[in-house]
C-alpha cells in the first residue's frame, strides 16, 4: 500500500509540475524596450521555475536580446554573449535553477537599463 501511495504521489507531482509551467512576457505589455520598464523590478514580482518560459517581444530594428554571463551583465559588456537573439519574439525555456542574465546590446541601451537578471528556482 505504501509503495502504491508513493507511486501515485510521484505521478501527481510530475504531472502537475509539467502542466503548471508558466509563460512570462518580459516587461509585461510594455515588452523589451529601453527606458520604459525597470526590468529587475519587473522580475522581482514573479517566481520563475524550471520549465517556465520567458518571452522577449521587441522591435528587432532597434533592439535585440543577448544572454550573457554575470560579469558581462554587470558591465553591460556585449563582446562575448552566450546567445544572441534578434527575431523580435524570442522564447526562452528556463531549464535549470540559478540566475540567467540578459541584455540588449544595441547602442547603449543596456546602460540605460535594458537588462534583466532572472532567478530560476526548482
Amino acid at each position: 500500500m505504501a509503495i502504491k501511495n508513493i507511486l501515485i504521489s510521484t505521478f501527481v507531482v510530475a504531472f502537475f509540475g509539467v502542466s503548471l509551467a508558466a509563460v512570462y512576457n518580459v516587461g509585461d505589455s510594455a515588452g523589451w524596450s529601453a527606458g520604459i520598464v525597470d526590468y529587475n523590478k519587473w522580475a522581482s514580482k514573479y517566481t520563475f521555475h524550471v520549465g517556465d518560459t520567458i518571452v522577449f517581444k521587441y522591435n528587432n530594428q532597434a533592439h535585440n536580446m543577448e544572454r550573457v554571463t554575470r560579469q558581462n551583465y554587470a558591465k553591460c559588456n556585449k563582446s562575448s554573449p552566450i546567445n544572441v537573439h534578434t527575431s523580435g519574439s524570442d522564447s526562452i525555456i528556463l531549464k535549470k535553477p540559478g540566475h540567467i542574465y540578459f541584455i540588449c546590446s544595441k547602442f547603449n541601451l543596456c546602460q540605460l537599463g535594458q537588462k534583466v537578471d532572472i532567478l530560476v528556482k526548482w
Side-chain angles (χ1 to χ4, degrees), residues 2-18:
I3 293 175
K4 181 179 177 183
N5 288 341
I6 291 171
L7 290 174
I8 290 171
S9 296
T10 303
F11 173 76
V12 169
V13 169
F15 176 77
F16 285 108
V18 171

Side-chain angles (χ1 to χ4, degrees), residues 14 20 36 46 60 95 97 118:
L20 293 179
I36 297 174
Y46 301 103
N60 66 352
K95 295 182 179 180
I118 302 288

Side-chain angles (χ1 to χ4, degrees), residues 10-77:
T10 303
F11 173 76
V12 169
V13 169
F15 176 77
F16 285 108
V18 171
S19 66
L20 293 179
V23 176
Y24 298 93
N25 290 314
V26 176
D28 294 324
S29 62
W32 181 241
S33 185
I36 297 174
V37 176
D38 177 333
Y39 289 100
N40 288 322
K41 187 175 180 181
W42 169 84
S44 72
K45 297 186 310 183
Y46 301 103
T47 302
F48 303 97
H49 295 279
V50 171
D52 288 347
T53 299
I54 55 174
V55 181
F56 290 82
K57 295 183 179 181
Y58 55 93
N59 173 341
N60 66 352
Q61 299 300 309
H63 305 279
N64 69 358
M65 182 271 290
E66 293 187 357
R67 181 173 175 207
V68 295
T69 64
R70 181 179 60 81
Q71 294 81 3
N72 287 345
Y73 172 84
K75 297 176 184 177
C76 287
N77 181 347

